[in-house]
Each structure stands twice: as structure tokens, then as C-alpha cells.
């Protein structure tokens, strides 16, 4: 297929928070994941230095915490200061030790070099508890909570700029679920109190692609919001853990922008599209495996039926080129909508379905990790206009036996600050190489970086390097560049042009 790229046609600049991440108090994301006191690989705060290094290498721009469902019964005051109060976490049916709380989280963000992004408890919590949290983090000395922070060893404010009100309070699976009418009022009252503490904070609120829910929260609280949060897990295997195959996973790529389009349309209809952006602050091809977490008690054994199955999320062979290719396709979708999508958070970053897997002696970087590495290191912030008159499609069968139609190749053109034109080119075809060509005015040499495995089912694990990132040599070229993309591969082509 032939594409045209005009480096002078700049569509928009993407926010670096498009490559954000999420971490929750679930299974081994925090405890035994990034926070592992006593492990020889951990630092003075108990953070795994190998995990910190991997997070810094992909320049994590923002890290959403502490949940997720976990947050909807979380009371932050139990987890600051010298007397931590362990409690039973009713979201995930385990005891939360509270040894990792707000101050540890802020310290983690500082050591990674990322923005903190705190999601508040709008389930059992209230406007006062949320605004007290802002006091603790952002007031210098005034009041009760700033003084507590100082007494806890943090004389300077944590300066948390990004806050979200609630997490999926629209769904019965969430503790403290609410009807749309109640949600709008709660968000407005909470936002009001939080911004009375610090008017500079940027607020989001839990939303989804439901018109009634979003209309209510935007009409009630839109004047106080800078963001609206949506989530999506395409392969909903929370209960079954039966992964969609490569072909079935590719079938999902025919609708990657559906949620963005629906929310964009509503923001435009309300004339809020220039003031409120989308925070896609949980996304992943795969749902997390945690069977029966919302139906527990029907004769189920907590350890055997509820907790032990979660260990299956750690099976690295499950995370193949399907996850890798899908992740790159979704990031391309976010880049193409970077005028309205300002933040996206891969859910989660460590363990569960994340891109970094930890074990007691080290880490495994799954295929999805290298997608972030390529996008952060090789693609530019400026999105260029790219077009083609041709169309090559695939007809994958989805997991319900329906035939879907998707583009065979997903291409995104960007311009880097160093003048390099960097093109992401994803070949979704499981069997066939695909050749693409593009004309770039003034092109003089290029090189291609390829992320791939021997097969669609390649994966990385301890002592298994099935998915690798290879960099080709610089090759002289004319303005017409033609490259052949391996089957099921993620590629970035760097193009140097004449001065
Ligand atoms: O499966 C994990 C959960 O998915 C997160 O806690 C929640 O935000 C989403 O429903």
C-alpha cells in the first residue's frame, strides 16, 4: 500500500500522558510487585529497583493509583503516619496492610519521575474525605491534614495536580455504585470542596460511553472538570481467563475508537470539547482474571475459588504478539485522537495483565512493555497527516464466530523534535508480510525497528525471550521509501530528511 506523508501538515501535538500507566492494590501489583520490602533488589523505601529502572526506561509520565475497584472502600487516612490501620478490603477480599499509602506512593512517583494521579473514594467516601486528601497533599501548613503530613516527615506539599472523583461507580460491581442523577450531584459537591482547597488541581470523574450517565455528570459538574474518565478491556475474561486467540484479538481492532467517538460527540454537543479532555485511564486488551469477586459468598471458598485463581494472571505465556500488536494499535488510535484524548493509562503496569512481571529474583518485560519503549523513544509528539487511496483489509473471526473487517496495516506518522519523521507501522496479518511505501519529501535515509516473535503466540518469560526488538541499519533512500513488514509485527521507521 502507498501512503503520502507531508511533514508540513501537522495535525496536533500529543500529550506525553498518552503513554501513562495505572497501578492498583490488587494481587501483586503493589505488594510483591513494585513494593517488596526485604527483597535484596529493593531500595531503602522497599521499592524494587529493577522495576523502578524499567518504569524510568519507558519514561512513565503519569501513574494512576490506588484503584480501580479497590478505591471505592479505601480510606486514605488509615494509610498515613506511624499507626497504619490494616483493614479487610471488601473489593478484593484480602487484608490491606496499609503499609503502602499516600506518602509511599508520592515517593514512588518521585523516584520514577512521573506525575501522581490519585483516584478518590466515591463509593463509601464523601466530598469531605476527598477534600481532606487534597489538604494532606497540597496545603503548605494550614489545617489538620497538612500538619499531619509535616509530622509524617514531609514538610513540603506533595503537589498532586491530577485527581479523579470515583472509579466506575456506574456499575453494580463497584462498591458504592450510584444512579446517574446521584452521581452528578456527588461529583459537583466533591469537586467544589476539593477545589476550595486547591483551585489549581485538574479533576476528572468516572464516566463511560453511556449517554445518560455522561450527560448528567457533565451538566451537573462539567464546569468544574478538566477531564472525563473512561475505561475499556476488550477481551472480557475476568471470569473465565479464556484468552481470545491472535485472530480473535485482531478482530477487536475494528472498533478501537468507538468509546472515544461517543464521548467526543457528547462533549461537542455540549460545547465542552475545548475545555474537557478524555482520560482513558484504564485500558488493556485483556480483562484481569478474578472470578466471582462480585458474587463471593455463594458457597465459594475464599482462598481456593477467589484468591488462588488470580495467580493465573502471572502466566507469562498468555501475553503474546496478540497483546503486543493490539497495544500498538490502541496507542495509534489515541495518537490519531490526541486533540481530545489527553491521557491514557495502561492497566496495570506491574503484574496482573501488566507490561512488567516481577518474581523474587528479577523481572520479565512482556511484549507490551516494548511497545511503550518504542513509542516513547522513537515516535514524535507531533502527529502528521497521512493518507492513502488504497485499502487492504483482513476478515478475522471474533470469539463469537462473527466475521469482522479490519485494516491489515495500521500506520501513524509523527514528527520528532530532532526533525526525524517517525512512522509506526503495524502488520496485523498473522501469515503474510505486507509491503508499504510512502513518499516523504527530502528523505535521504531511513531505518526500521521491528518488535516481533517467531509466531503469533511468542511470549517472554523467565529465560524465554520470544518477543524481541530489533533495529536495522540506516539505509540510503529516495523520497519514495518501501518497507516490508513481517507478519504480526510492530514497527517504527525513522526517516531522516535533507536539512
Ligand atoms: O479488573 C480490574 C478492574 O477493572 C479495576 O479495578 C476496575 O477499575 C475495572 O473494572
Amino acid at each position: 500500500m502507498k501512503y503520502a506523508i507531508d511533514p508540513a501538515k501537522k495535525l496536533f501535538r500529543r500529550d506525553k500522558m498518552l503513554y501513562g500507566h495505572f497501578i492498583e492494590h490488587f494481587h501483586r501489583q503493589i505488594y510483591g510487585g513494585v513494593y517488596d520490602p526485604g527483597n535484596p533488589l529493593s531500595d531503602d523505601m522497599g521499592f524494587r529497583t529493577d522495576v523502578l529502572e524499567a518504569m524510568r526506561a519507558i519514561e512513565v509520565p503519569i501513574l494512576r493509583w490506588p484503584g480501580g475497584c479497590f478505591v471505592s472502600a479505601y480510606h486514605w487516612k488509615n494509610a498515613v503516619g506511624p499507626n497504619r490501620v490494616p483493614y479487610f478490603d471488601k473489593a478484593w477480599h484480602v487484608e490491606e496492610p496499609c503499609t503502602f499509602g499516600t506518602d509511599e506512593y508520592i515517593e514512588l512517583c518521585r523516584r520514577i519521575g512521573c506525575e501522581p494521579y490519585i483516584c478518590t473514594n466515591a463509593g463509601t467516601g464523601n466530598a469531605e474525605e476527598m477534600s481532606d486528601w487534597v489538604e494532606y497533599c497540597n496545603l503548605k501548613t494550614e489545617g489538620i491534614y497538612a500538619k499531619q503530613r509535616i509530622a509524617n516527615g514531609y514538610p513540603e506539599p506533595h503537589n498532586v495536580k491530577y485527581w479523579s472523583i470515583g472509579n466506575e461507580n456506574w456499575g453494580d460491581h463497584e462498591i458504592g455504585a450510584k444512579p446517574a442523577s446521584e452521581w452528578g450531584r456527588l461529583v459537583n459537591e466533591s469537586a467544589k470542596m476539593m477545589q476550595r482547597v486547591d483551585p489549581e488541581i485538574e479533576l476528572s470523574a468516572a464516566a463511560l460511553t453511556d449517554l445518560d450517565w455522561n450527560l448528567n455528570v457533565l451538566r451537573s459538574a462539567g464546569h468544574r472538570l478538566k477531564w472525563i474518565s473512561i475505561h475499556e478491556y476488550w477481551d472480557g475474561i475476568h471470569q473465565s481467563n479464556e484468552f481470545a486467540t491472535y485472530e480473535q484479538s485482531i478482530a477487536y481492532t475494528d472498533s478501537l475508537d468507538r468509546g472515544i467517538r461517543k464521548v467526543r460527540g457528547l462533549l461537542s454537543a455540549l460545547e465542552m470539547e475545548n475545555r474537557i479532555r478524555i482520560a482513558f485511564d484504564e485500558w488493556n486488551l485483556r480483562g484481569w482474571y478474578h472470578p466471582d469477586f462480585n458474587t463471593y459468598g455463594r458457597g465459594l471458598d475464599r482462598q481456593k475459588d477467589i484468591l488462588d485463581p488470580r495467580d493465573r494472571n502471572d502466566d507469562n505465556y498468555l501475553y503474546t504478539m496478540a497483546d503486543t500488536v493490539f497495544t500498538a494499535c490502541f496507542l495509534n488510535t489515541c495518537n490519531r485522537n490526541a486533540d481530545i484524548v489527553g491521557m491514557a493509562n495502561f492497566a496495570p503496569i506491574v503484574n496482573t495483565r501488566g507490561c512488567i512481571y516481577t518474581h523474587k529474583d528479577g523481572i520479565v518485560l512482556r511484549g507490551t512493555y516494548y511497545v511503550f519503549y518504542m513509542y516513547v523513544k522513537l515516535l514524535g509528539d507531533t502527529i502528521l497527516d497521512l493518507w492513502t487511496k488504497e485499502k487492504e483489509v483482513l476478515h478475522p473471526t471474533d470469539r463469537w464466530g462473527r466475521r469482522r473487517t479490519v485494516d491489515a496495516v495500521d500506520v501513524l506518522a509523527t514528527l520528532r523534535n530532532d526533525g526525524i519523521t517517525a512512522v509506526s507501522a503495524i502488520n496485523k496479518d498473522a501469515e503474510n508480510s505486507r509491503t508499504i511505501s510512502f513518499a516523504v519529501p527530502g528523505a535521504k535515509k531511513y531505518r526500521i525497528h521491528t518488535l516481533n516473535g517467531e509466531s503469533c503466540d511468542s511470549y517472554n518469560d523467565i529465560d524465554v525471550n520470544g518477543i524481541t526488538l530489533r533495529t536495522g541499519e540506516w539505509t540510503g533512500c529516495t523520497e519514495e521509501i518501501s518497507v516490508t513488514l513481517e507478519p504480526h509485527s510492530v514497527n517504527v521507521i525513522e526517516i531522516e530528511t535533507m536539512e
Side-chain angles (χ1 to χ4, degrees), residues 3-42:
Y3 293 85
I5 300 172
D6 180 354
K9 269 192 101 169
K10 300 177 176 65
L11 297 180
F12 27 70
R13 282 182 73 83
R14 64 120 181 105
D15 193 307
K16 66 176 184 172
M17 296 194 293
L18 231 47
Y19 303 147
H21 291 271
F22 169 56
I23 195 163
E24 177 168 355
H25 288 239
F26 172 85
H27 200 230
R28 294 189 320 111
Q29 293 178 29
I30 298 285
Y31 304 107
V34 69
Y35 185 61
D36 197 2
N39 185 305
L41 293 168
S42 297

mmCIF file of all heavy atoms in Angstrom, residues 3-42:
data_model
loop_
_atom_site.group_PDB
_atom_site.id
_atom_site.type_symbol
_atom_site.label_atom_id
_atom_site.label_comp_id
_atom_site.label_asym_id
_atom_site.label_seq_id
_atom_site.Cartn_x
_atom_site.Cartn_y
_atom_site.Cartn_z
ATOM 1 N N TYR A 3 1.365 5.212 0.874
ATOM 2 C CA TYR A 3 0.877 6.308 1.737
ATOM 3 C C TYR A 3 1.573 7.605 1.346
ATOM 4 O O TYR A 3 2.686 7.594 0.834
ATOM 5 C CB TYR A 3 1.205 6.004 3.199
ATOM 6 C CG TYR A 3 0.467 4.818 3.773
ATOM 7 C CD1 TYR A 3 0.960 3.520 3.603
ATOM 8 C CD2 TYR A 3 -0.727 4.983 4.459
ATOM 9 C CE1 TYR A 3 0.284 2.428 4.114
ATOM 10 C CE2 TYR A 3 -1.406 3.884 4.982
ATOM 11 C CZ TYR A 3 -0.893 2.618 4.799
ATOM 12 O OH TYR A 3 -1.569 1.540 5.303
ATOM 13 N N ALA A 4 0.889 8.692 1.635
ATOM 14 C CA ALA A 4 1.508 10.008 1.438
ATOM 15 C C ALA A 4 1.628 10.673 2.811
ATOM 16 O O ALA A 4 0.690 10.631 3.613
ATOM 17 C CB ALA A 4 0.645 10.854 0.521
ATOM 18 N N ILE A 5 2.793 11.230 3.062
ATOM 19 C CA ILE A 5 3.035 11.945 4.329
ATOM 20 C C ILE A 5 3.562 13.323 3.962
ATOM 21 O O ILE A 5 4.450 13.445 3.120
ATOM 22 C CB ILE A 5 4.117 11.232 5.179
ATOM 23 C CG1 ILE A 5 3.703 9.812 5.519
ATOM 24 C CG2 ILE A 5 4.404 12.025 6.453
ATOM 25 C CD1 ILE A 5 4.808 9.004 6.199
ATOM 26 N N ASP A 6 2.980 14.332 4.587
ATOM 27 C CA ASP A 6 3.514 15.681 4.367
ATOM 28 C C ASP A 6 3.987 16.231 5.709
ATOM 29 O O ASP A 6 3.164 16.656 6.518
ATOM 30 C CB ASP A 6 2.426 16.590 3.771
ATOM 31 C CG ASP A 6 2.989 18.006 3.538
ATOM 32 O OD1 ASP A 6 4.150 18.239 3.949
ATOM 33 O OD2 ASP A 6 2.268 18.837 2.977
ATOM 34 N N PRO A 7 5.301 16.183 5.977
ATOM 35 C CA PRO A 7 5.791 16.650 7.281
ATOM 36 C C PRO A 7 5.354 18.083 7.620
ATOM 37 O O PRO A 7 5.363 18.471 8.782
ATOM 38 C CB PRO A 7 7.320 16.561 7.131
ATOM 39 C CG PRO A 7 7.525 15.521 6.085
ATOM 40 C CD PRO A 7 6.377 15.689 5.129
ATOM 41 N N ALA A 8 4.914 18.813 6.608
ATOM 42 C CA ALA A 8 4.471 20.189 6.913
ATOM 43 C C ALA A 8 3.038 20.202 7.426
ATOM 44 O O ALA A 8 2.579 21.181 8.005
ATOM 45 C CB ALA A 8 4.588 21.043 5.665
ATOM 46 N N LYS A 9 2.312 19.106 7.185
ATOM 47 C CA LYS A 9 0.894 19.079 7.608
ATOM 48 C C LYS A 9 0.804 18.520 9.033
ATOM 49 O O LYS A 9 0.626 17.331 9.243
ATOM 50 C CB LYS A 9 0.076 18.213 6.649
ATOM 51 C CG LYS A 9 -0.527 19.015 5.502
ATOM 52 C CD LYS A 9 -1.546 18.223 4.732
ATOM 53 C CE LYS A 9 -2.951 18.607 5.144
ATOM 54 N NZ LYS A 9 -3.967 18.041 4.228
ATOM 55 N N LYS A 10 0.941 19.383 10.000
ATOM 56 C CA LYS A 10 0.925 18.951 11.402
ATOM 57 C C LYS A 10 -0.511 18.993 11.915
ATOM 58 O O LYS A 10 -1.135 20.048 11.930
ATOM 59 C CB LYS A 10 1.825 19.882 12.221
ATOM 60 C CG LYS A 10 3.292 19.885 11.758
ATOM 61 C CD LYS A 10 4.114 20.884 12.577
ATOM 62 C CE LYS A 10 5.589 20.834 12.192
ATOM 63 N NZ LYS A 10 5.816 21.271 10.795
ATOM 64 N N LEU A 11 -1.022 17.843 12.360
ATOM 65 C CA LEU A 11 -2.403 17.795 12.847
ATOM 66 C C LEU A 11 -2.481 18.371 14.259
ATOM 67 O O LEU A 11 -3.221 19.291 14.529
ATOM 68 C CB LEU A 11 -2.924 16.354 12.834
ATOM 69 C CG LEU A 11 -3.020 15.694 11.469
ATOM 70 C CD1 LEU A 11 -3.538 14.270 11.606
ATOM 71 C CD2 LEU A 11 -3.872 16.508 10.508
ATOM 72 N N PHE A 12 -1.724 17.787 15.168
ATOM 73 C CA PHE A 12 -1.704 18.301 16.546
ATOM 74 C C PHE A 12 -0.547 17.647 17.293
ATOM 75 O O PHE A 12 0.098 16.729 16.778
ATOM 76 C CB PHE A 12 -3.016 18.003 17.297
ATOM 77 C CG PHE A 12 -3.764 16.795 16.832
ATOM 78 C CD1 PHE A 12 -3.263 15.504 17.062
ATOM 79 C CD2 PHE A 12 -4.952 16.901 16.145
ATOM 80 C CE1 PHE A 12 -3.945 14.379 16.625
ATOM 81 C CE2 PHE A 12 -5.645 15.787 15.687
ATOM 82 C CZ PHE A 12 -5.141 14.514 15.939
ATOM 83 N N ARG A 13 -0.292 18.123 18.484
ATOM 84 C CA ARG A 13 0.742 17.532 19.347
ATOM 85 C C ARG A 13 0.069 16.615 20.353
ATOM 86 O O ARG A 13 -0.958 16.983 20.932
ATOM 87 C CB ARG A 13 1.526 18.630 20.100
ATOM 88 C CG ARG A 13 2.552 19.333 19.242
ATOM 89 C CD ARG A 13 3.316 20.373 20.037
ATOM 90 N NE ARG A 13 4.270 19.776 20.987
ATOM 91 C CZ ARG A 13 5.493 19.365 20.651
ATOM 92 N NH1 ARG A 13 5.879 19.430 19.386
ATOM 93 N NH2 ARG A 13 6.321 18.851 21.544
ATOM 94 N N ARG A 14 0.616 15.440 20.539
ATOM 95 C CA ARG A 14 0.018 14.552 21.533
ATOM 96 C C ARG A 14 0.602 14.876 22.897
ATOM 97 O O ARG A 14 1.755 15.308 23.003
ATOM 98 C CB ARG A 14 0.264 13.086 21.150
ATOM 99 C CG ARG A 14 1.732 12.670 21.143
ATOM 100 C CD ARG A 14 1.990 11.552 22.118
ATOM 101 N NE ARG A 14 3.403 11.193 22.092
ATOM 102 C CZ ARG A 14 4.248 11.531 23.055
ATOM 103 N NH1 ARG A 14 3.836 12.186 24.121
ATOM 104 N NH2 ARG A 14 5.520 11.225 22.971
ATOM 105 N N ASP A 15 -0.218 14.730 23.932
ATOM 106 C CA ASP A 15 0.266 14.920 25.301
ATOM 107 C C ASP A 15 1.076 13.681 25.698
ATOM 108 O O ASP A 15 0.664 12.552 25.393
ATOM 109 C CB ASP A 15 -0.945 15.089 26.246
ATOM 110 C CG ASP A 15 -0.526 15.598 27.612
ATOM 111 O OD1 ASP A 15 0.373 14.967 28.208
ATOM 112 O OD2 ASP A 15 -1.072 16.607 28.062
ATOM 113 N N LYS A 16 2.179 13.865 26.379
ATOM 114 C CA LYS A 16 3.015 12.699 26.750
ATOM 115 C C LYS A 16 2.246 11.757 27.681
ATOM 116 O O LYS A 16 2.575 10.582 27.805
ATOM 117 C CB LYS A 16 4.315 13.156 27.398
ATOM 118 C CG LYS A 16 4.179 13.846 28.730
ATOM 119 C CD LYS A 16 5.535 14.182 29.337
ATOM 120 C CE LYS A 16 5.371 14.797 30.729
ATOM 121 N NZ LYS A 16 6.628 14.973 31.421
ATOM 122 N N MET A 17 1.163 12.281 28.304
ATOM 123 C CA MET A 17 0.381 11.424 29.215
ATOM 124 C C MET A 17 -0.436 10.372 28.477
ATOM 125 O O MET A 17 -1.095 9.536 29.090
ATOM 126 C CB MET A 17 -0.519 12.291 30.103
ATOM 127 C CG MET A 17 0.260 13.199 31.029
ATOM 128 S SD MET A 17 -0.756 13.913 32.331
ATOM 129 C CE MET A 17 -1.837 14.988 31.381
ATOM 130 N N LEU A 18 -0.345 10.389 27.132
ATOM 131 C CA LEU A 18 -0.994 9.338 26.344
ATOM 132 C C LEU A 18 -0.367 7.985 26.643
ATOM 133 O O LEU A 18 -0.996 6.939 26.469
ATOM 134 C CB LEU A 18 -0.819 9.661 24.854
ATOM 135 C CG LEU A 18 -2.044 9.660 23.955
ATOM 136 C CD1 LEU A 18 -3.191 10.426 24.572
ATOM 137 C CD2 LEU A 18 -1.715 10.229 22.596
ATOM 138 N N TYR A 19 0.899 8.022 27.132
ATOM 139 C CA TYR A 19 1.614 6.775 27.420
ATOM 140 C C TYR A 19 1.691 6.549 28.946
ATOM 141 O O TYR A 19 2.705 6.114 29.463
ATOM 142 C CB TYR A 19 3.013 6.806 26.796
ATOM 143 C CG TYR A 19 3.001 7.028 25.306
ATOM 144 C CD1 TYR A 19 4.018 7.730 24.666
ATOM 145 C CD2 TYR A 19 1.957 6.578 24.516
ATOM 146 C CE1 TYR A 19 3.995 7.964 23.299
ATOM 147 C CE2 TYR A 19 1.918 6.799 23.153
ATOM 148 C CZ TYR A 19 2.941 7.492 22.547
ATOM 149 O OH TYR A 19 2.908 7.725 21.185
ATOM 150 N N GLY A 20 0.562 6.885 29.608
ATOM 151 C CA GLY A 20 0.502 6.761 31.068
ATOM 152 C C GLY A 20 0.203 5.343 31.525
ATOM 153 O O GLY A 20 -0.047 4.451 30.709
ATOM 154 N N HIS A 21 0.232 5.180 32.850
ATOM 155 C CA HIS A 21 0.016 3.852 33.420
ATOM 156 C C HIS A 21 -0.839 3.929 34.677
ATOM 157 O O HIS A 21 -1.119 5.013 35.192
ATOM 158 C CB HIS A 21 1.374 3.201 33.716
ATOM 159 C CG HIS A 21 2.130 2.855 32.463
ATOM 160 N ND1 HIS A 21 1.994 1.647 31.826
ATOM 161 C CD2 HIS A 21 2.998 3.590 31.716
ATOM 162 C CE1 HIS A 21 2.756 1.656 30.739
ATOM 163 N NE2 HIS A 21 3.367 2.815 30.646
ATOM 164 N N PHE A 22 -1.230 2.728 35.145
ATOM 165 C CA PHE A 22 -2.139 2.590 36.290
ATOM 166 C C PHE A 22 -1.597 1.490 37.194
ATOM 167 O O PHE A 22 -1.013 0.498 36.700
ATOM 168 C CB PHE A 22 -3.530 2.213 35.760
ATOM 169 C CG PHE A 22 -4.529 1.769 36.795
ATOM 170 C CD1 PHE A 22 -4.852 2.576 37.882
ATOM 171 C CD2 PHE A 22 -5.176 0.542 36.680
ATOM 172 C CE1 PHE A 22 -5.795 2.174 38.823
ATOM 173 C CE2 PHE A 22 -6.125 0.134 37.615
ATOM 174 C CZ PHE A 22 -6.431 0.951 38.683
ATOM 175 N N ILE A 23 -1.723 1.658 38.488
ATOM 176 C CA ILE A 23 -1.341 0.579 39.416
ATOM 177 C C ILE A 23 -2.374 0.545 40.539
ATOM 178 O O ILE A 23 -2.817 1.604 41.009
ATOM 179 C CB ILE A 23 0.087 0.791 39.948
ATOM 180 C CG1 ILE A 23 0.617 -0.495 40.594
ATOM 181 C CG2 ILE A 23 0.176 1.964 40.929
ATOM 182 C CD1 ILE A 23 2.141 -0.492 40.762
ATOM 183 N N GLU A 24 -2.800 -0.662 40.899
ATOM 184 C CA GLU A 24 -3.890 -0.798 41.881
ATOM 185 C C GLU A 24 -3.462 -1.721 43.013
ATOM 186 O O GLU A 24 -2.591 -2.584 42.815
ATOM 187 C CB GLU A 24 -5.138 -1.376 41.184
ATOM 188 C CG GLU A 24 -6.290 -1.623 42.153
ATOM 189 C CD GLU A 24 -7.637 -1.912 41.489
ATOM 190 O OE1 GLU A 24 -7.725 -1.839 40.244
ATOM 191 O OE2 GLU A 24 -8.584 -2.185 42.226
ATOM 192 N N HIS A 25 -4.101 -1.575 44.158
ATOM 193 C CA HIS A 25 -3.896 -2.528 45.260
ATOM 194 C C HIS A 25 -4.698 -3.778 44.928
ATOM 195 O O HIS A 25 -5.798 -3.997 45.449
ATOM 196 C CB HIS A 25 -4.362 -1.901 46.584
ATOM 197 C CG HIS A 25 -3.457 -0.819 47.085
ATOM 198 N ND1 HIS A 25 -2.823 -0.853 48.308
ATOM 199 C CD2 HIS A 25 -3.058 0.336 46.507
ATOM 200 C CE1 HIS A 25 -2.087 0.239 48.473
ATOM 201 N NE2 HIS A 25 -2.228 0.965 47.387
ATOM 202 N N PHE A 26 -4.184 -4.540 44.030
ATOM 203 C CA PHE A 26 -4.809 -5.789 43.600
ATOM 204 C C PHE A 26 -3.735 -6.841 43.368
ATOM 205 O O PHE A 26 -2.716 -6.538 42.718
ATOM 206 C CB PHE A 26 -5.593 -5.585 42.289
ATOM 207 C CG PHE A 26 -6.095 -6.867 41.684
ATOM 208 C CD1 PHE A 26 -7.295 -7.436 42.090
ATOM 209 C CD2 PHE A 26 -5.352 -7.543 40.712
ATOM 210 C CE1 PHE A 26 -7.737 -8.634 41.555
ATOM 211 C CE2 PHE A 26 -5.791 -8.745 40.173
ATOM 212 C CZ PHE A 26 -6.999 -9.295 40.597
ATOM 213 N N HIS A 27 -3.916 -8.014 43.974
ATOM 214 C CA HIS A 27 -2.963 -9.129 43.809
ATOM 215 C C HIS A 27 -1.539 -8.638 44.039
ATOM 216 O O HIS A 27 -1.282 -8.005 45.056
ATOM 217 C CB HIS A 27 -3.180 -9.770 42.441
ATOM 218 C CG HIS A 27 -2.616 -11.148 42.369
ATOM 219 N ND1 HIS A 27 -1.790 -11.562 41.350
ATOM 220 C CD2 HIS A 27 -2.728 -12.209 43.196
ATOM 221 C CE1 HIS A 27 -1.425 -12.814 41.543
ATOM 222 N NE2 HIS A 27 -1.988 -13.235 42.651
ATOM 223 N N ARG A 28 -0.621 -8.788 43.052
ATOM 224 C CA ARG A 28 0.795 -8.458 43.292
ATOM 225 C C ARG A 28 1.241 -7.199 42.560
ATOM 226 O O ARG A 28 2.404 -7.055 42.192
ATOM 227 C CB ARG A 28 1.654 -9.638 42.854
ATOM 228 C CG ARG A 28 1.483 -10.895 43.644
ATOM 229 C CD ARG A 28 2.537 -11.960 43.300
ATOM 230 N NE ARG A 28 2.842 -12.029 41.897
ATOM 231 C CZ ARG A 28 4.009 -11.657 41.362
ATOM 232 N NH1 ARG A 28 4.943 -11.137 42.155
ATOM 233 N NH2 ARG A 28 4.234 -11.772 40.064
ATOM 234 N N GLN A 29 0.319 -6.257 42.340
ATOM 235 C CA GLN A 29 0.780 -5.035 41.663
ATOM 236 C C GLN A 29 1.616 -4.165 42.610
ATOM 237 O O GLN A 29 2.706 -3.705 42.256
ATOM 238 C CB GLN A 29 -0.424 -4.253 41.130
ATOM 239 C CG GLN A 29 -1.158 -4.976 40.017
ATOM 240 C CD GLN A 29 -2.380 -4.208 39.545
ATOM 241 O OE1 GLN A 29 -2.428 -2.981 39.607
ATOM 242 N NE2 GLN A 29 -3.400 -4.927 39.085
ATOM 243 N N ILE A 30 1.066 -3.941 43.831
ATOM 244 C CA ILE A 30 1.808 -3.161 44.830
ATOM 245 C C ILE A 30 2.674 -4.104 45.665
ATOM 246 O O ILE A 30 3.888 -4.173 45.493
ATOM 247 C CB ILE A 30 0.842 -2.359 45.732
ATOM 248 C CG1 ILE A 30 0.024 -1.348 44.894
ATOM 249 C CG2 ILE A 30 1.597 -1.681 46.868
ATOM 250 C CD1 ILE A 30 0.761 -0.133 44.432
ATOM 251 N N TYR A 31 2.019 -4.866 46.548
ATOM 252 C CA TYR A 31 2.739 -5.757 47.484
ATOM 253 C C TYR A 31 3.255 -6.984 46.722
ATOM 254 O O TYR A 31 2.489 -7.744 46.166
ATOM 255 C CB TYR A 31 1.812 -6.172 48.633
ATOM 256 C CG TYR A 31 1.221 -4.984 49.368
ATOM 257 C CD1 TYR A 31 -0.122 -4.630 49.209
ATOM 258 C CD2 TYR A 31 2.016 -4.171 50.179
ATOM 259 C CE1 TYR A 31 -0.660 -3.521 49.855
ATOM 260 C CE2 TYR A 31 1.486 -3.061 50.833
ATOM 261 C CZ TYR A 31 0.145 -2.736 50.658
ATOM 262 O OH TYR A 31 -0.384 -1.625 51.293
ATOM 263 N N GLY A 32 4.601 -7.104 46.669
ATOM 264 C CA GLY A 32 5.206 -8.182 45.882
ATOM 265 C C GLY A 32 5.426 -7.768 44.444
ATOM 266 O O GLY A 32 5.939 -8.519 43.623
ATOM 267 N N GLY A 33 4.987 -6.528 44.130
ATOM 268 C CA GLY A 33 5.227 -6.022 42.769
ATOM 269 C C GLY A 33 6.233 -4.898 42.846
ATOM 270 O O GLY A 33 7.425 -5.140 43.033
ATOM 271 N N VAL A 34 5.736 -3.676 42.802
ATOM 272 C CA VAL A 34 6.672 -2.549 42.859
ATOM 273 C C VAL A 34 7.198 -2.347 44.282
ATOM 274 O O VAL A 34 8.300 -1.838 44.484
ATOM 275 C CB VAL A 34 5.965 -1.255 42.345
ATOM 276 C CG1 VAL A 34 4.887 -0.797 43.315
ATOM 277 C CG2 VAL A 34 6.969 -0.154 42.062
ATOM 278 N N TYR A 35 6.435 -2.808 45.282
ATOM 279 C CA TYR A 35 6.786 -2.583 46.707
ATOM 280 C C TYR A 35 7.086 -3.937 47.337
ATOM 281 O O TYR A 35 6.187 -4.759 47.519
ATOM 282 C CB TYR A 35 5.604 -1.914 47.419
ATOM 283 C CG TYR A 35 5.860 -1.504 48.852
ATOM 284 C CD1 TYR A 35 6.853 -0.581 49.174
ATOM 285 C CD2 TYR A 35 5.094 -2.030 49.893
ATOM 286 C CE1 TYR A 35 7.076 -0.185 50.486
ATOM 287 C CE2 TYR A 35 5.307 -1.647 51.208
ATOM 288 C CZ TYR A 35 6.299 -0.725 51.504
ATOM 289 O OH TYR A 35 6.508 -0.338 52.814
ATOM 290 N N ASP A 36 8.370 -4.172 47.607
ATOM 291 C CA ASP A 36 8.773 -5.525 48.034
ATOM 292 C C ASP A 36 9.839 -5.420 49.114
ATOM 293 O O ASP A 36 10.995 -5.835 48.899
ATOM 294 C CB ASP A 36 9.296 -6.274 46.806
ATOM 295 C CG ASP A 36 9.365 -7.781 47.022
ATOM 296 O OD1 ASP A 36 8.962 -8.226 48.119
ATOM 297 O OD2 ASP A 36 9.855 -8.492 46.110
ATOM 298 N N PRO A 37 9.505 -4.807 50.265
ATOM 299 C CA PRO A 37 10.499 -4.620 51.330
ATOM 300 C C PRO A 37 11.098 -5.970 51.715
ATOM 301 O O PRO A 37 10.399 -6.970 51.744
ATOM 302 C CB PRO A 37 9.680 -4.038 52.497
ATOM 303 C CG PRO A 37 8.440 -3.487 51.883
ATOM 304 C CD PRO A 37 8.168 -4.337 50.674
ATOM 305 N N GLY A 38 12.424 -5.951 51.947
ATOM 306 C CA GLY A 38 13.062 -7.216 52.354
ATOM 307 C C GLY A 38 13.651 -7.963 51.182
ATOM 308 O O GLY A 38 14.519 -8.816 51.345
ATOM 309 N N ASN A 39 13.201 -7.636 49.968
ATOM 310 C CA ASN A 39 13.827 -8.272 48.802
ATOM 311 C C ASN A 39 15.182 -7.603 48.564
ATOM 312 O O ASN A 39 15.275 -6.373 48.586
ATOM 313 C CB ASN A 39 12.928 -8.101 47.571
ATOM 314 C CG ASN A 39 13.477 -8.854 46.363
ATOM 315 O OD1 ASN A 39 14.626 -8.651 45.967
ATOM 316 N ND2 ASN A 39 12.664 -9.724 45.792
ATOM 317 N N PRO A 40 16.249 -8.368 48.329
ATOM 318 C CA PRO A 40 17.581 -7.755 48.136
ATOM 319 C C PRO A 40 17.599 -6.763 46.968
ATOM 320 O O PRO A 40 18.444 -5.897 46.887
ATOM 321 C CB PRO A 40 18.491 -8.955 47.841
ATOM 322 C CG PRO A 40 17.707 -10.184 48.120
ATOM 323 C CD PRO A 40 16.267 -9.829 48.264
ATOM 324 N N LEU A 41 16.609 -6.889 46.075
ATOM 325 C CA LEU A 41 16.556 -5.976 44.924
ATOM 326 C C LEU A 41 15.850 -4.667 45.260
ATOM 327 O O LEU A 41 15.742 -3.784 44.409
ATOM 328 C CB LEU A 41 15.810 -6.662 43.758
ATOM 329 C CG LEU A 41 16.516 -7.861 43.131
ATOM 330 C CD1 LEU A 41 15.566 -8.621 42.205
ATOM 331 C CD2 LEU A 41 17.760 -7.407 42.363
ATOM 332 N N SER A 42 15.354 -4.537 46.500
ATOM 333 C CA SER A 42 14.589 -3.334 46.858
ATOM 334 C C SER A 42 15.459 -2.283 47.525
ATOM 335 O O SER A 42 16.479 -2.594 48.126
ATOM 336 C CB SER A 42 13.427 -3.718 47.778
ATOM 337 O OG SER A 42 12.537 -4.575 47.081
#
